Amino acid sequence: MTITRYYMALVLTMFTGAAIGQEGILDRPPERTYDAVIASGFLKVGMYQNFPPYSYEQDGVAKGIDADLGRRIAERLGVEFQPHWIVPDETLGDDLRNNVWKGHYLAKRRLADVMMRVPYDKKFAYMQDSTGEYMNEQVVLFGPYQQEQWQIAYNPAKLDPVSTIAVFRYHPIGVEIDTLPDFYLSSSFNGSIRSQVKHYNNVGAAFDGMLAGDVSAVMGMRAEVDFELAEHPDDGMVPATNGFPGLTKQVWDVGMAVKHTHRQLGYAIEAIVDELVRGGEMEALFARYGARYSIPGYYAEVLGAQAE
């Protein structure tokens, strides 16, 4: 009986060792479910790196709208906030794969529990590839917390009030390279604005170019532009009131994403964010960074609230 038990134990040990070895080879990402997050005592919040006013690092501390929101969420869950910095890949789908559900091939176990600043968009959520497969079925998009839009700021010493982008046929405008404002302005009016579009690494650098007199205006997301205006209150730059003809997506809801097997965590976070939106704390959070806040269109549809 003793020998039989010995051999059984040996076989079990070999089987377990093989399984552990296989797990190491596959390097599977950990399943950070709601219970696992609470038990661990921390929440890893995925945020884009060097992306003020949403998320950036200052003196080693995570700052910005999304960082502060992540702290609020973690606090109400009763866990510690931990930033998970995201360097953007070529597409949003790549970012979701690398940081939410699969992991980068060089660091498969480095995943966020929740990713901030994901478009809350049904078309994106149910996008299909050429074979009819859903491209984003591994993630759940939820918790819209802001409505974002495009914005121009300009130098009134060089421009009259901007009522149409046609003025940029004759005046240089700064944009972040390879972004929608770059493509939009470069192709508008049959490309007649293209020569006036000046490229910068980010909106902050474009704003510096405007302060230096290299460009007369800057186009970016409204919160980015608001943040730069608030950082330079005495330099006379002002926001424009023009629209963007031909640009189909002028406003959009911003939400979050979790892995599709972690829906319970998503529900818990969504309930917290919902309270922050309804109670006015979200608006106050944006105001801290000089940014105007618009309630997501989701609330306008579901609750009858009016977005700004």
Side-chain angles (χ1 to χ4, degrees):
M1 181 65 70
T2 303
I3 295 177
T4 302
R5 288 177 177 170
Y6 169 78
Y7 280 115
M8 287 178 64
L10 180 62
V11 170
L12 285 172
T13 301
M14 292 175 63
F15 178 82
T16 303
I20 292 173
Q22 185 72 2
E23 180 76 7
I25 293 172
L26 294 176
D27 195 21
R28 291 193 182 104
E31 283 296 331
R32 294 271 297 170
T33 61
Y34 172 81
D35 290 337
V37 166
I38 299 303
S40 70
F42 62 89
L43 178 75
K44 294 187 291 182
V45 178
M47 305 173 295
Y48 284 105
Q49 199 169 39
N50 301 323
F51 194 29
Y54 309 110
S55 48
Y56 57 100
E57 201 167 17
Q58 189 175 68
D59 299 325
V61 178
K63 299 283 188 178
I65 293 166
D66 291 342
D68 288 355
L69 177 55
R71 287 189 179 90
R72 298 282 184 89
I73 293 170
E75 179 183 350
R76 298 201 180 189
L77 288 175
V79 296
E80 176 190 347
F81 161 80
Q82 288 190 5
H84 170 102
W85 294 113
I86 297 172
V87 177
D89 209 317
E90 293 184 3
T91 68
L92 175 58
D94 293 336
D95 294 342
L96 290 168
R97 182 188 65 245
N98 293 338
N99 295 279
V100 177
W101 65 271
K102 187 177 182 180
H104 193 277
Y105 69 93
L106 292 176
K108 287 188 175 181
R109 300 182 67 83
R110 185 184 178 275
L111 290 175
D113 297 319
V114 59
M115 178 174 164
M116 313 297 288
R117 200 140 298 277
V118 179
Y120 185 77
D121 185 272
K122 290 182 180 179
K123 289 184 179 179
F124 176 77
Y126 296 107
M127 190 181 298
Q128 294 174 291
D129 61 20
S130 58
T131 67
E133 294 292 326
Y134 289 109
M135 299 170 63
N136 300 303
E137 64 179 355
Q138 299 291 335
V139 297
V140 176
L141 309 183
F142 71 101
Y145 58 93
Q146 176 206 4
Q147 187 177 80
E148 186 58 280
Q149 63 186 67
W150 300 109
Q151 178 71 56
I152 286 176
Y154 68 98
N155 183 349
K158 292 192 173 186
L159 281 173
D160 291 329
V162 178
S163 59
T164 169
I165 63 168
V167 301
F168 298 113
R169 289 172 173 172
Y170 316 105
H171 297 275
I173 181 170
V175 296
E176 182 177 349
I177 191 169
D178 292 337
T179 59
L180 193 145
D182 180 8
F183 301 137
Y184 171 67
L185 292 172
S186 296
S187 61
S188 293
F189 296 104
N190 297 317
S192 60
I193 297 178
R194 185 180 299 119
S195 63
Q196 297 288 357
V197 178
K198 309 303 178 185
H199 298 106
Y200 295 88
N201 288 332
N202 51 55
V203 171
F207 207 91
D208 289 341
M210 181 166 60
L211 293 174
D214 299 328
V215 294
S216 301
V218 170
M219 181 176 174
M221 283 183 276
R222 189 173 72 173
E224 291 182 292
V225 172
D226 284 353
F227 177 73
E228 294 299 333
L229 289 171
E231 289 287 289
H232 304 87
D234 301 321
D235 290 305
M237 307 306 167
V238 295
T241 58
N242 64 290
F244 302 97
L247 186 58
T248 56
K249 201 74 170 177
Q250 299 201 30
V251 298
W252 63 97
D253 282 2
V254 175
M256 299 167 281
V258 294
K259 188 176 179 181
H260 74 104
T261 53
H262 300 165
R263 292 175 187 267
Q264 184 182 4
L265 177 63
Y267 295 148
I269 293 174
E270 187 170 45
I272 294 168
V273 170
D274 183 68
E275 290 182 4
L276 296 175
V277 172
R278 294 174 189 252
E281 291 182 66
M282 193 70 71
E283 183 174 7
L285 193 155
F286 274 73
R288 183 181 305 168
Y289 294 90
R292 287 165 286 175
Y293 177 72
S294 289
I295 194 169
Y298 164 84
Y299 284 91
E301 294 175 8
V302 175
L303 304 177
Q306 294 298 314
E308 292 182 6

